[in-house]
Structure formats: C-alpha cells, structure tokens
C-alpha cells in the first residue's frame, strides 16, 4: 500500500481503514493528498462493487472483477430509477495492481476525492459518508444479478473533535498541510500553533450558504489575546460546503514553512502544540470565542492528544469539599442548591480531568420546601434585574422549570426558547427537588446570558408558589451567590425585602414626627414644640428625616443595575417617599397620623412643609444626575421627549422611564414649593390653597407615569393621593351646610357668632370658616371660644392687615351687611392631656391666643379650678372680650383670670377688675405663677406668640412637678 501512496504524491503513514462486507468481500483504504487508494478482495468467480450514496438510485459505483486473468474496474453510475449501472463516459478509476490465489482475487485502484466529473460523487473525508456494496457471479465474462448487497456508513478519515461543534481531519503532502474543518452553524472555528496563546500563529475560518468561504491567516503577540491579520496571507481555501446537520466544512492548505516572519512552521517530524477556539458570528462580526483549548498534534502519525492540565492549574471544582448536606448548599431555610460544571464532549480521554476552559454545561439541583418556588439567575453585578433566571416550582406532584428573563422586578416573561433541560425531579413529604442542566452558551444571545467557566455571579429568590399557571407571587427571600468555578468556593449574600424597608423606616419616621410634635400619650408635649420652634431642633429634625430617607434609598438602589440607575434612585426614592409622607401629613379627616398616633392636623403642618421641601431637593438632585448623564449628548431634546429611556443594565434588562413625564412632575413641584413660601401663602392664601391642591395632583400623577409599570409607584404615591382625595371629599361634605352668622368688630378684633344647632366640638377645638361675601374659596382656621351646648360657636378673629381675608371680614360689621352665612369644616384639634383627670389647670396665653384658652375653660368641670394668665397690650381687645370673660367667671366659681397688661395706652382698670379678674402691668413670672398655684395634680396649657410659648414652656419644665403640657400651635 505504501507504493500506492507514493503514486499519490503523499508522505508515508497516511490514514487508513478497513471494512468487511461479507465473508467473500472486504476492502481496505488509505488516504493521501487529494485521492484515495482502495484494496478490494473478492471471492474467485465473483464481481464486487462499491458505491457512494445512501441507496442504489443516484449512486456512483465502482465494479471490479477478473476476465481471463485480467483485472477490470469500471467507473459507473445509476440514475434516479434503480437499474443496471451505466458506464461513465470518463473513467476516473485507475487500477494500480492486482493478483490472486485459487480462492480469491485482489485489485488495488485509486480515485480522486473530487474527480471533477459530473457523473461521479465526491468522496468526503470531513464527515461520515453513506456507501452501498454488492456481490454477484461472473459467468463467461458476463456479470449476473448480484446475490447479496448492503448499505454502510463509513468515516474515511479519522476525525478529531475539540468539542461537539468543532472537529478536524488533515492530509499531508511533501509541501503542504491540508486541513479539513467541520464547524457548527453560525460559528467561526480557529486552529493555531504555538506553546501559549500570547505567542501563536492562527487560522480563523468561517463559511455560510450566503457568504464566501474565508480563512484569515493571523498571529497573536505580546500581551494581546486577539489575533492580528498577517500582512501576507499564506492560507488557501480549497473548497467548502454545508454538512448534513446544518453546519459547514472547509478545506484549506498551507505550506509547512512559509518563510513569513508572522508565521510559525508546522512540525513534520514529531509532535507540536496547537490551539483551537470557536465562537459566534452575529451581524457579520466575530464575537469573543465561547470555547477554546490546547492539544498536541502529530501531523504525520495522524494523532491529536489532549494533555492533562499543568500542575499550576486547579482541578475541576469538587462540590463535595463544600460543607453541605448531600453536596447541597443551604442557601436559606427553604432552598438548598448544588452546582456542577461539566463537559458534554465525547472526544475525551478516559480519566483525564477537565480543565475549566473545557466546561460546556452546568447542572443545578434544587431542594425546596413544599409550597414555595425557588429560582436562580445571572447578573454580573449581583442585582435582581436585569437577570437571566430559571424558576422552578411544584404543582400537584409535578415539578416545573422555566427559562425566564427579568427586565424589571415585576416583569419576568418566559423565553420563547426554553434552553434548560430537566433531568429528574422528586416530590417527597415537605420538600421537592429537581435537577436540570443548561449549556454555558445557549446561543440565545437576546434572552440568555453566557455563563463564565471561571467566576459567576448568581442571584437567587424564593417565595410562595400559587401553582403551575401562575407560579410566582413575590419573593420573600432573595440575595446573591458569588461562585468561583476554579476553586468551587462560594459566598452567599442574603438581602431583605425592599418593601419592608420602606414600611419599617417610614413608620420610624412617623414615630419620630409624633414624638417631636408631642402628640404621643407618653411623650412630653414640650419636646415637640422645642423641636418645631428652635433652630437646633429644626436642624436635628431635618438631618434625621434626610438620613432616614437616604438609608431607604441606598437599600433600594441595590435592586437596580447600571451606575446611572443606582445613583439616580438614591435621590428618586426619597423624593417619592417625601411626596407620600407630605400627602399623609396634609390629611385632616382621614389622617393616618391622627388614627395611629393622635397627631392632629395642626401639628403635622410644619412637618408637611419640611418634608415637602426636602423632597423637592431630592427630585432636583435626581434631575441633575439624569441631565449630567444625557444632557451633553447632541440629541438632548430627543432624549427628553423620547417615549422611553433606558437608565441601566442591558437593553432588555433595564428600568424604563419616561423623561418628559418626570420633567413635568419636577416643574409642577417647583412651582408648588415656590408658592408655599410664607409671604405668598399669607398674602394670597386663596391662590395658595387652590394652586397647592392642583399642583400636588399634577406632581404625583406625572411622578407615577414617569416610571414604567410596577406596583410600587402606585403604592407609595398613588395610595396617599387617593387618601388625600377622599379626605378632601369628606371635608367638602362637612361644609355642605350653611349657618347664620353675626359679625361685630372693635379695634383689631372681629367677633363671629355662628348658630350651629346640634353640631358638637370639644376643648381646644378649632374650625375652618368660609363666608361667601368675604371669599367663597377661602377657609381659615379659628379656635372655638364657646361650649357646644350653647348651640352657638363663638370666634374671635384678629385683623392681620389690609387686603387680607380678616380685613375684609371686619368691614362686614362696619358696612352693616345683613343675612350672612358661614360654612364650617371641622372641628379639628385635641388636647395633649385629658383635662378631666386634673384638679387644677394653668392656662397661659398672650394676645389673641386667649381664644383657645377660653374654649378650654368653657369645658371645665364644676369641681375643677383654673388660673388663666393673659398677656395683652391692646386695651380695646380686653374690653371687646370682657363680655365672654365675665360670662365664664359667672359660670365657674373656681376660675381666676390674671391679665398682664403690656401696652402703652391708658387702661381704665376700675371698669374691669373684680375679685377674680385682676390686672397687673408688665410681663408675668410664669415660674412663680405655676409654683404658687399648681401642684402635682395640675396641668398646663399654653398659646400665644412664639417667644411667650418658648418662655412659658421652659419655666414649666424647670419646676419639680413635671406637669403635663398642652401647647396650641397654628402653623397654617
């Protein structure tokens, strides 16, 4: 046979094989160069035929026999209708030698792999080929019908598979190495020579039905791992085509030594280190290879050996080394996990350990508690979205697994291509388990993430399962798993539920507001007032609120991907929460603060303003971050008015926002804050109220629309908005009735007497009053002086200056307007202590602040006693209120009133003073007053200007009694 190979102009030791079709017919063959040499052995007086094709129809046949001791081989073909073979016009079979004995004969012949004859079929060496054979009798030089026949599939040349998608064969000639590549569809395949990847000579080839077959001669040098094309291309593509399984094959040639400085030489004598790689081709571009490896080739002997990994490399991860039950890692109380990387390649030597670069697949085993789902996913940053996730759950004794891709925390649609394979599952008692596997690279680039064979960041989640049709309700446990494939070590980081963080910290924030307002039963009321009125208290309050909001936002930012999304949510999260809290603090009738902590509306207003302004600051910072990211781009206007904007992660896996809606929300919020400054609020109160309501609704509505989908914007901002709207409806219902009102005016104070019928209120109550002839849309709060049993609500209103509502009200008495009617909203307000539990009351007030104190005194019990200390500087105010003061003195024998007159006008004390109504000049000594009159069973109520309140609170706190305090506050 070696003589035959010499005739084919090939080197020695080419590839060979043999087949035995029957006891009377066998063949051997050797490949070399562009041809093949056959040795056919057949029984005497018989002919033997070999054909190329899956059946007799359309086959190419070679029929050999002896006639008069002369060897004959005919090149024939059969058409589409199976009949006797027809001799080819051109005979492409050459008989080289022949011989025989008494029982058998043999013939050696050659044929080109590609003869170029249309009547011949190609002999392929890069994949298995179907052949047919037949055996019949020769009589008197004629061939009889064959007596036996058969079909077979043969691999003419041994194929060496680097993995399931890439294999090679080769031929050798004195000057050339001819390599035959077989590669899977949509991939490029590369082979190279060199000891290391950083110093190698590479050949990268690709073919598809709609493109020209190509091979690039390149090299890798220095620290780069990407090939560089050689200036001189020394590789020639001989032929190419598609394989039966959808892949492609290509035949190339290159000289053993090209004398090109960029090339390394192929080794003729001995072994040589080679490299191989395979990767995706998408959009006409070669992507980073998904698999690669090293081997040792002997081109002449026709062998490839896959060596064991070097000693410096780590062996494959052994999960048994991880402390776990049955190899399962305990992720949390309801989820155990096993991870196993492996190779599905069949072209491996028995007993040779896998190197990490040889892994092709990964196998997962879940063991979960009944009634729960378990999921594992991929995110390079360990974040929940975007993520390629695998969800498994049990329903009615069957375990299901689905391949999902989560673009948002509430959007995890199943992939159209399910690239996971369940191998087994078991449902037993209170647990269920499942084992499934997946390729590291599924080829589904749009929906699946390529799993690294070195280090992987997994994410996990568990939660209640509601069955096969809707398996996932919500995760109640989730976190990340950092897995080192080489060492098999892992780190589990558990996270808490983001919603619970919002709820818990929001409740802490509300408790702080309640304590600072002095509204909780066990709290000292003075603490709240000091926090609200002092500079230090204000600073501390703002710092606490801001810190709490930032903690909430930073915890929430971990659930978003991308630097922009994470930074912006640190500001957007607190802004959302500020808006929600501001709404809740603004409610009057349906106030959660009133229900949960007895914190009335008037005490929440200051916090409403502070939190509203802090929220605006966070919104503005959020806008600045987003503008800094996108504002410098040429298409700034396009980004602003784009329908949706991706803020982080990959295109399919990021949070979508609508920038224009966010811009509208910020503009409305800015105008709202600007119109809320004290000067505008007091000067144009009606405009302030109307704009505040309208702009609040606009701000929240566009804030919700700004974020694409999900339940959280509706919960955090939508629910408070609904509560506020219902609260507005309830307050509107309260104002449905009109009551007759009588107006009188003296000096700087107007008195209103409204006939309220059976409407009820209590001590310290106030109501919003609106009078159509003064201002239909305006309603202002005033303390009720009288007891509800009188059927009349008496109010004293201080004139706050020209062109104000109170100034227009005072003119009604001067102008003599008749038939006035008022609408009332309320009552609101409550005492910070139960006045029925105290024998003595100390009522301290200044100026018009006497009105709530008179209202408290009106509800005294007969056995209670009270001292009312009133600091006032306008004598007309004293005279104007004298009638109601004397009525209270006549009703309650244990009531004393001490007036401290601080004005400069003359005052006729003789017309005012009595045994229980005294007048002193100058400011009162509150501490002396309390020590003289009060005891342990007393309580103190205070109302008036801020300096008076601060002084009175400090003096009351300095006593040893630690008396309960009630501080009236109006921050409207």
């Amino acid at each position: 046979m070696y003589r035959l190979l010499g005739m084919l102009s090939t080197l020695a030791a080419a590839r060979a094989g043999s087949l035995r079709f029957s006891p009377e017919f066998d063949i051997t063959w050797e490949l070399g160069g562009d041809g093949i040499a056959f040795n056919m052995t057949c029984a005497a007086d018989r002919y033997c035929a070999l054909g190329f094709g899956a059946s007799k129809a359309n086959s190419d046949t070679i029929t050999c026999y002896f006639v008069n001791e002369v060897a004959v081989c005919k090149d024939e073909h059969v058409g589409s209708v199976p009949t006797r073979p027809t001799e080819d016009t051109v005979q492409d079979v050459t008989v080289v030698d022949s011989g025989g004995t008494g029982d058998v004969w043999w013939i050696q012949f050659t044929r080109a792999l590609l003869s170029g004859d249309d009547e011949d079929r190609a002999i392929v060496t890069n994949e298995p080929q179907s052949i047919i054979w037949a055996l019949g009798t020769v009589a008197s030089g004629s061939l009889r019908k064959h007596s036996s026949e058969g079909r077979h599939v043969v691999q003419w040349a041994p194929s060496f598979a680097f993995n399931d998608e890439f294999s090679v064969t080769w031929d050798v000639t004195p000057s050339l190495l001819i390599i035959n590549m077989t590669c899977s569809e949509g991939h490029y395949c590369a082979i190279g020579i060199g000891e290391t990847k950083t110093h190698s000579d590479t050949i990268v080839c690709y073919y598809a039905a709609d493109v020209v077959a190509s091979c690039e001669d390149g090299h890798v040098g220095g620290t780069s791992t990407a090939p560089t094309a050689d200036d001189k291309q020394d590789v020639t593509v001989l032929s190419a085509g598609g394989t039966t399984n959808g892949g492609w094959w290509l035949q190339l040639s290159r000289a053993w030594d090209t004398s090109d400085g960029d090339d390394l030489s192929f080794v003729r004598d001995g072994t040589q280190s080679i490299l191989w790689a395979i990767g995706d081709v998408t959009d006409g571009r070669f992507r980073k290879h998904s698999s690669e490896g090293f081997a040792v080739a002997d081109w002449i002997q026709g062998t490839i050996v896959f060596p064991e990994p070097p000693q410096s490399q780590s062996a494959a991860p052994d999960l048994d080394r991880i402390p776990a039950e049955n190899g399962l890692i305990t992720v949390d109380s309801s989820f155990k996990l096993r991870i196993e990387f492996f190779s599905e390649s069949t072209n491996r030597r028995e007993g040779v350990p896998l190197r990490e670069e040889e892994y092709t697949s990964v196998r997962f085993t879940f063991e979960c508690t009944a009634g729960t789902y378990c999921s594992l996913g991929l995110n390079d940053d360990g974040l929940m979205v975007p993520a390629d996730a695998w969800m498994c759950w049990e329903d009615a004794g069957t375990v299901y697994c689905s391949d999902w891709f989560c673009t948002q925390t509430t959007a995890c649609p199943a992939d159209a291509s399910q690239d996971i394979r369940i191998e087994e599952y078991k449902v037993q008692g209170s647990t269920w388990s499942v084992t499934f596997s997946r390729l590291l690279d599924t080829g589904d680039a749009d929906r699946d993430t390529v799993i690294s064979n070195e280090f992987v960041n997994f994410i996990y989640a568990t939660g209640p399962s509601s069955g096969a049709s809707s398996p996932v309700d919500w995760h109640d446990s989730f976190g990340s798993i950092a897995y080192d494939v080489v060492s098999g070590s892992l780190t589990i980081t558990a996270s808490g539920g983001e919603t619970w963080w919002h709820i818990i910290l929001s409740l802490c924030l509300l408790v702080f507001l309640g304590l600072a307002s002095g509204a909780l039963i066990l709290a000292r009321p003075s603490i709240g007032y000091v926090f609200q009125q002092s500079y230090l208290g204000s600073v501390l309050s703002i710092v606490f609120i801001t810190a709490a909001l930032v903690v909430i936002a930073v915890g929430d930012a971990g659930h978003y991907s991308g630097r922009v999304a994470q930074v912006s949510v640190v500001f957007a999260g607190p802004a959302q929460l500020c808006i929600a809290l501001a709404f809740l603090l603004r409610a009057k009738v349906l106030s959660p603060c009133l229900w949960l902590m007895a914190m009335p509306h008037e005490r929440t207003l200051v916090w409403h303003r502070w939190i509203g302004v802090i929220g605006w600051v966070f919104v503005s910072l959020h806008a600045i971050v987003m503008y800094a990211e996108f504002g410098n781009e040429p298409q700034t206007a396009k980004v602003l008015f784009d329908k949706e904007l991706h803020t982080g992660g990959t295109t399919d896996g990021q949070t979508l926002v609508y920038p224009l809606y966010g811009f509208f929300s910020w503009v409305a919020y800015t105008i709202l804050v600007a119109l809320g400054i004290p000067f505008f609020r007091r000067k144009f109160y009606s405009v302030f109220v109307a704009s505040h309501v309208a702009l609040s609704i606009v701000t929240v509505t566009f804030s919700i629309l700004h974020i694409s989908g999900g339940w959280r914007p509706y919960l955090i901002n939508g629910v408070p908005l609904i509560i506020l709207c219902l609260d507005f409806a309830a307050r509107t219902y309260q104002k449905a009735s009109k009551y007759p009102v009588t107006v009188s005016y003296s000096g700087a104070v107007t008195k209103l007497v409204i006939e309220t019928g059976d409407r009820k209120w209590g001590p310290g109550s106030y109501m919003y009053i609106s009078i159509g002839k003064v201002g239909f849309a305006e309603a202002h709060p005033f303390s009720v002086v009288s007891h509800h049993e009188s059927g009349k609500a008496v109010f004293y209103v201080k004139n706050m200056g020209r062109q104000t509502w109170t100034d227009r009200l005072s003119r009604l008495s001067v102008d003599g307007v008749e038939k006035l009617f008022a609408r009332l909203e309320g009552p609101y307000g409550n005492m910070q202590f139960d006045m029925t539990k105290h024998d003595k009351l100390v009522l301290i007030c200044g100026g018009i602040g006497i009105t709530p104190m008179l209202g408290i005194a009106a509800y005294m019990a007969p056995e209670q006693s009270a001292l009312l200390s009133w600091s006032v500087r306008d004598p007309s105010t004293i005279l104007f209120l004298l009638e109601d003061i004397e009525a209270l003195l006549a009703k309650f024998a244990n009531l004393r009133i001490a007036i401290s007159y601080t004005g400069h006008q003359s005052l006729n004390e003789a017309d005012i003073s009595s045994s229980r109504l005294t007048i002193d000049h100058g400011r009162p000594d509150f501490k002396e007053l309390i020590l003289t009159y009060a005891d342990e069973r007393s309580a103190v109520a205070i109302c008036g200007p801020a300096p008076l309140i601060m002084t009175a609170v400090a003096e009351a706190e300095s006593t040893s009694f630690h008396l309960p305090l009630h501080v009236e506050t109006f921050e409207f």
Side-chain angles (χ1 to χ4, degrees):
M1 292 293 286
Y2 290 112
R3 187 163 60 87
L4 293 176
L5 294 174
M7 295 179 182
L8 292 170
S9 302
T10 63
L11 294 176
R15 292 154 294 160
S18 63
L19 274 176
R20 187 175 182 84
F21 299 121
S22 77
E24 298 179 300
F25 182 16
D26 59 53
I27 62 170
T28 62
W29 68 88
E30 291 184 1
L31 285 165
D34 56 358
I36 186 170
F38 289 100
N39 186 88
M40 185 180 289
T41 303
C42 196
D45 300 326
R46 299 278 187 166
Y47 69 86
C48 288
L50 176 67
F52 308 102
S55 64
K56 187 176 181 181
N58 299 312
S59 62
D60 178 17
T61 63
I62 301 173
T63 304
C64 297
Y65 54 94
F66 266 79
V67 176
N68 299 324
E69 298 183 356
V70 176
V72 177
C73 284
K74 292 184 178 180
D75 187 8
E76 301 173 316
H77 65 276
V78 179
S80 58
V81 178
T83 58
R84 291 180 63 84
T86 301
E87 191 170 338
D88 289 1
T89 304
V90 177
Q91 292 292 301
D92 298 297
V93 176
T94 302
V95 175
V96 178
D97 199 0
S98 63
T101 63
D103 297 329
V104 298
W105 58 258
W106 56 267
I107 299 176
Q108 294 177 352
F109 61 89
T110 62
R111 210 207 83 165
L113 300 178
L114 297 173
S115 67
D117 187 346
D118 291 340
E119 295 176 328
D120 287 341
R121 279 186 170 233
I123 300 175
V124 297
T125 60
N126 56 355
E127 65 178 4
Q129 185 171 24
S130 296
I131 62 173
I132 59 176
W133 61 273
L135 178 68
T137 302
V138 179
S140 303
S142 299
L143 306 185
R144 306 298 184 185
K145 180 176 175 58
H146 52 261
S147 55
S148 59
E149 64 178 348
R151 297 180 176 84
H152 203 81
V153 176
V154 65
Q155 177 81 53
W156 303 114
S159 175
F160 293 92
F162 297 118
N163 63 12
D164 292 342
E165 298 178 306
F166 182 18
S167 61
V168 295
T169 64
W170 65 88
D171 299 316
V172 293
T173 72
S175 59
L176 298 175
L177 178 64
I178 301 171
I179 300 176
N180 304 284
M181 288 186 180
T182 302
C183 198
S184 60
E185 183 180 14
H187 291 86
Y188 67 86
C189 286
I191 192 167
I193 52 178
E195 296 289 340
T196 63
K197 189 192 319 184
T198 55
H199 183 66
S200 59
D201 182 11
T202 62
I203 302 172
V204 182
C205 298
Y206 175 65
Y207 173 77
D210 56 346
V211 300
V212 177
S214 64
C215 287
E216 181 180 87
D217 185 10
H219 64 278
V220 180
T223 58
S224 173
T225 58
T228 301
D230 293 356
D231 293 333
K232 179 185 177 185
Q233 293 292 302
D234 298 299
V235 175
T236 302
V237 176
L238 302 177
S239 58
T243 62
T244 55
N245 60 1
W248 56 268
W249 63 269
L250 182 145
Q251 188 178 65
L252 64 95
S253 66
R254 207 207 80 167
W256 292 93
D257 186 355
T258 64
S259 300
D260 185 346
D262 290 332
D263 289 339
L264 299 177
S265 297
F266 287 110
V267 175
R268 298 170 183 259
D269 301 318
T271 60
Q272 182 172 33
S273 296
I274 64 172
L275 309 86
W276 62 271
I278 183 172
D280 291 334
V281 179
T282 56
D283 299 328
R285 297 176 58 191
F286 288 5
R287 306 298 180 181
K288 179 176 173 59
H289 52 262
S290 54
S291 297
E292 63 175 2
F294 293 85
V296 175
D298 189 322
W299 306 114
I300 301 301
Q301 295 299 322
T303 62
I304 287 183
V305 176
F306 297 94
E308 296 187 11
Q311 293 298 318
S312 60
Q313 290 185 328
S314 301
D318 181 5
L319 291 181
D320 291 335
R321 291 186 282 114
I322 302 173
E325 181 182 355
N326 298 324
L328 293 171
I329 307 157
T330 300
V331 178
D332 68 9
S333 58
S334 60
F335 186 13
K336 294 182 180 179
L337 170 69
R338 181 167 60 239
I339 306 172
E340 178 188 2
F341 281 73
F342 65 97
S343 174
E344 295 182 348
S345 173
T346 58
N347 187 40
R348 300 202 68 261
R349 288 170 50 192
E350 187 70 24
V352 177
L354 276 174
R355 294 184 298 170
E356 56 269 16
E357 61 263 25
E358 295 181 284
Y359 297 140
T360 62
S361 304
V362 61
R363 180 180 292 113
F364 303 100
T365 299
F366 290 1
E367 183 179 296
C368 305
T369 304
T372 64
Y373 75 87
C374 293
S375 68
L376 198 68
L378 295 168
N379 183 289
D380 289 340
D381 299 321
L383 307 178
M384 295 305 290
V385 290
D388 178 13
W390 316 295
M391 309 280 185
C392 296
W393 65 97
E394 180 268 333
D395 182 64
T398 301
V399 177
Y400 301 86
C401 289
S402 182
D403 185 9
W404 290 6
F405 190 87
C406 298
T407 57
Q408 301 177 45
T409 54
T410 56
C412 293
D415 291 1
S417 174
Q418 291 290 301
D419 296 303
I420 59 176
R421 181 177 70 252
I422 295 180
E423 297 179 359
E424 62 176 348
Y425 67 84
K426 180 170 61 176
V427 179
Q428 183 176 6
S430 60
T431 62
W432 58 265
S433 62
V434 63
T435 298
F436 65 91
S437 59
R438 201 204 87 157
L439 291 173
L440 300 184
D441 185 0
T442 66
D444 188 356
D446 293 334
R447 305 291 294 180
D448 287 341
T449 302
V450 177
I451 302 176
S452 169
N453 55 14
E454 297 176 355
F455 190 88
V456 188
N457 280 316
F458 292 106
I459 57 171
Y460 73 89
T462 64
S465 172
S466 56
S469 60
S470 179
V472 177
D473 288 334
W474 183 246
H475 54 256
D476 50 25
S477 173
F478 64 95
S480 61
I481 301 174
Y483 185 69
D484 189 329
V485 179
V486 177
S487 65
S489 62
L490 54 81
T491 302
I492 300 174
T493 304
S495 302
E498 55 191 336
T499 306
W500 288 110
W501 271 107
H502 279 93
I503 294 174
I504 293 171
L505 286 175
S506 298
L507 289 175
C508 292
L509 195 56
L510 288 174
V511 169
F512 170 78
L513 299 182
L515 288 170
S517 300
L520 291 177
I521 297 175
L522 299 179
R524 297 290 294 161
S526 58
I527 298 175
Y529 193 83
V530 169
F531 263 93
Q532 289 187 355
Q533 298 297 329
S534 70
Y535 176 78
L536 178 61
S538 299
V539 171
L540 291 176
S541 300
I542 292 175
V543 169
F544 179 88
I545 294 170
T546 305
L549 294 171
V550 169
V551 169
I552 295 171
V554 170
D556 191 33
H559 303 281
Y560 293 82
S561 69
R563 176 181 57 84
V564 179
Q566 291 177 340
V567 174
S568 66
V569 81
V570 169
F571 302 124
Q576 275 191 319
L577 197 55
C578 280
I579 295 173
L581 287 173
F583 272 30
L584 293 176
L585 293 169
R586 186 66 182 86
K588 300 177 184 177
V589 179
L590 304 178
S591 171
C593 302
L594 182 63
W595 299 340
L596 297 174
M597 298 182 297
M599 189 160 69
H601 163 64
E602 69 274 8
R603 302 187 186 282
T604 64
L605 276 178
V606 65
W607 304 108
H608 165 79
R609 293 192 189 116
W610 284 0
I611 290 176
V613 171
I614 292 172
W616 177 82
V617 172
F618 276 113
V619 170
S620 299
L621 291 174
H622 168 69
I624 291 171
V625 169
M626 298 307 294
Y627 182 80
E629 180 68 18
F630 299 104
N632 294 326
E633 298 182 9
Q635 68 274 26
T636 301
K638 178 182 181 298
V639 169
L640 179 61
F641 293 98
D642 202 2
K643 181 180 179 182
E644 55 188 35
L645 176 66
H646 304 288
T647 60
T650 61
T651 303
D652 286 336
Q654 43 197 307
T655 301
L656 302 180
V657 297
Y658 298 88
L660 190 59
Y661 295 151
F663 177 73
F664 288 158
S665 179
W666 177 79
V667 170
Y669 202 169
T670 302
I671 298 173
L672 183 149
V673 171
L675 295 181
I677 61 176
F679 171 79
F680 189 91
R681 184 176 72 246
R682 293 170 182 168
K683 191 73 174 177
F684 306 100
Y685 186 77
S686 59
V687 176
F688 160 74
V689 172
S691 63
H692 212 65
V693 173
L695 290 172
S696 296
I697 295 174
V698 172
T699 298
V700 172
T701 301
F702 281 111
S703 174
I704 294 173
L705 295 175
H706 175 53
I707 303 174
S708 62
W711 55 268
R712 197 164 57 183
Y714 298 96
L715 176 64
I716 296 178
N717 290 145
V719 172
L721 177 61
I722 293 172
I723 291 176
L724 195 61
C725 291
L726 293 175
D727 181 78
F728 178 77
R731 291 187 285 116
T732 302
Y733 177 76
Q734 286 184 350
K735 295 188 291 185
S737 301
K738 294 191 297 183
Y739 301 96
V741 59
T742 301
V743 181
S744 57
Y745 176 74
S746 174
V749 178
T750 303
K751 180 179 181 180
L752 300 178
V753 179
I754 302 176
E755 299 177 11
T756 55
D758 57 356
R759 193 159 185 157
K760 293 179 173 59
W761 55 88
S765 295
Y766 67 93
M767 298 186 190
Y768 283 82
I769 303 173
S770 61
I771 300 175
K773 292 186 179 296
V774 181
F776 178 78
E778 292 188 58
H780 293 263
F782 301 101
S783 295
V784 186
V785 172
S786 58
H787 196 290
H788 69 270
E789 291 180 350
S790 66
K792 296 179 180 180
V794 179
F795 302 90
Y796 286 96
V797 180
K798 181 182 178 181
N799 191 329
M800 300 302 294
R802 293 175 57 82
Q803 303 302 320
T804 62
W805 186 88
T806 56
D807 184 49
R808 296 194 301 271
L809 175 65
S810 65
R811 294 178 187 176
L812 294 181
S813 175
V814 177
D815 296 340
V817 178
E818 300 179 357
K819 296 183 179 179
L820 290 176
F821 293 92
R823 298 180 185 273
L824 300 177
E825 177 192 326
Y828 300 114
N830 60 357
M831 298 286 290
Q832 292 171 282
F833 56 78
D834 186 354
M835 62 179 293
T836 63
K837 295 182 179 181
H838 301 278
D839 296 336
K840 294 182 179 181
L841 300 176
V842 179
L843 309 176
I844 300 174
C845 55
I848 199 65
I850 191 176
T851 54
M853 298 299 106
L854 294 177
I856 293 173
Y859 280 84
M860 287 173 53
E863 64 275 9
Q864 285 181 304
S865 63
L867 171 62
L868 190 156
S869 173
W870 182 24
S871 300
V872 61
R873 62 184 178 182
D874 183 7
S876 64
T877 302
I878 299 175
L879 296 174
F880 193 49
L881 272 67
L882 189 58
E883 179 181 352
D884 287 303
I885 291 174
E886 290 177 342
L888 278 175
L889 290 170
K891 182 177 180 181
F892 299 102
N894 296 326
L895 174 63
R896 286 181 51 201
I897 298 178
I899 299 177
S900 296
Y901 180 62
T902 60
H904 301 290
Q905 301 180 29
S906 60
L907 178 63
N908 189 355
E909 300 179 20
D911 296 336
I912 301 174
S913 299
S914 67
S915 60
R916 289 187 289 124
L917 176 60
T918 61
I919 298 179
D920 294 319
H921 291 268
R923 299 183 183 279
D925 185 341
F926 296 125
K927 184 174 183 179
E928 180 66 25
L929 184 148
I930 294 172
L931 289 174
T932 302
Y933 184 79
D935 56 28
E936 289 83 354
R937 295 183 55 79
S938 302
V940 179
I942 307 170
C943 184
L948 180 144
I949 293 178
M950 296 292 290
T951 303
V953 167
E955 297 292 353
E957 289 288 342
S958 67
T959 65
S960 60
F961 298 142
H962 298 294
L963 303 177
L965 291 176
H966 169 74
V967 181
E968 286 284 341
T969 178
F970 289 95
E971 292 290 338
F972 298 99

